[in-house]
């Protein structure tokens, strides 16, 4: 892989949009779709969530999302398209991220329900990021 050429072909606006998409998906995933189940499985209540350092959580999450988006763009390469982005995003999300999380969840003895909620978020997020990066070459 020619990394210099790869860096030159990245649409950095698309990387930012793809990174931001993680927040949109996460906002829906963890508030609208799975809020109650996610809180129960983690042992959280409203008070515990209110006392969190939100700047650290959201700031760090955004930086990690940008890193994921940037490296996914490199991984997809200059010949990427929307379908390739979605398929690669699905495969990376399910077979790398979710599988790695699964190993950790087994050792930490976390529930299957929590695993499915969190891994599902990442699979969907990687697919949407791949779509965005594939559309905006």
């Amino acid at each position: 892989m020619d990394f210099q050429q790869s860096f030159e072909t990245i649409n950095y606006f698309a990387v930012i949009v793809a990174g931001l998409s993680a927040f949109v998906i996460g906002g829906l995933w963890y508030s609208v779709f799975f809020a109650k189940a996610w809180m129960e499985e983690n042992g959280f209540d409203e008070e515990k969530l209110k006392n969190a350092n939100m700047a650290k959580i959201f700031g760090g999450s955004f930086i990690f999302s940008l890193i994921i988006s940037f490296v996914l763009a490199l991984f997809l390469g200059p010949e990427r398209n929307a379908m390739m982005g979605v398929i690669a995003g699905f495969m990376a999300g399910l077979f790398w991220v979710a599988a790695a999380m699964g190993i950790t969840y087994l050792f930490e003895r976390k529930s299957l329900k929590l695993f499915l909620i969190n891994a599902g978020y990442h699979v969907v997020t990687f697919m949407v990021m791949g779509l965005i990066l594939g559309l905006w070459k």
Side-chain angles (χ1 to χ4, degrees):
M1 172 184 274
D2 183 355
F3 280 107
Q4 182 176 357
Q5 184 181 19
S6 294
F7 283 99
E8 292 170 358
T9 63
I10 290 178
N11 179 334
Y12 290 94
F13 177 73
V15 167
I16 293 169
V17 172
L20 287 171
S21 74
F23 279 84
V24 174
I25 296 164
L28 293 169
W29 200 265
Y30 291 104
S31 66
V32 176
F33 301 129
F34 300 107
K36 185 176 178 182
W38 178 79
M39 288 174 57
E40 285 175 5
E41 293 300 308
N42 278 298
F44 293 155
D45 58 25
E46 293 291 335
E47 191 63 33
K48 195 177 241 184
L49 293 177
K50 287 179 186 176
N51 292 326
N53 182 342
M54 299 312 280
K56 177 181 174 183
I57 293 168
F58 283 101
S61 295
F62 182 61
I63 290 168
F64 285 131
S65 294
L66 288 176
I67 292 168
I68 291 166
S69 178
F70 178 76
V71 173
L72 185 57
L74 283 175
F75 178 74
L76 292 171
E79 302 301 320
R80 63 191 172 270
N81 60 49
M83 184 59 75
M84 178 185 178
V86 171
I87 292 170
F90 171 76
M91 293 177 75
L94 184 62
F95 300 116
W96 286 340
V97 177
M101 287 176 64
I103 294 168
T104 303
Y105 274 48
L106 288 170
F107 279 96
E108 292 180 352
R109 291 152 181 93
K110 292 185 179 178
S111 73
L112 176 62
K113 187 175 187 178
L114 183 61
F115 168 76
L116 292 173
I117 292 168
N118 290 330
Y121 160 74
H122 289 294
V123 171
V124 170
T125 298
F126 271 61
M127 289 173 64
V128 171
M129 283 183 171
L131 174 65
I132 292 166
L133 295 168
L135 286 173
W136 289 337
K137 292 196 255 185

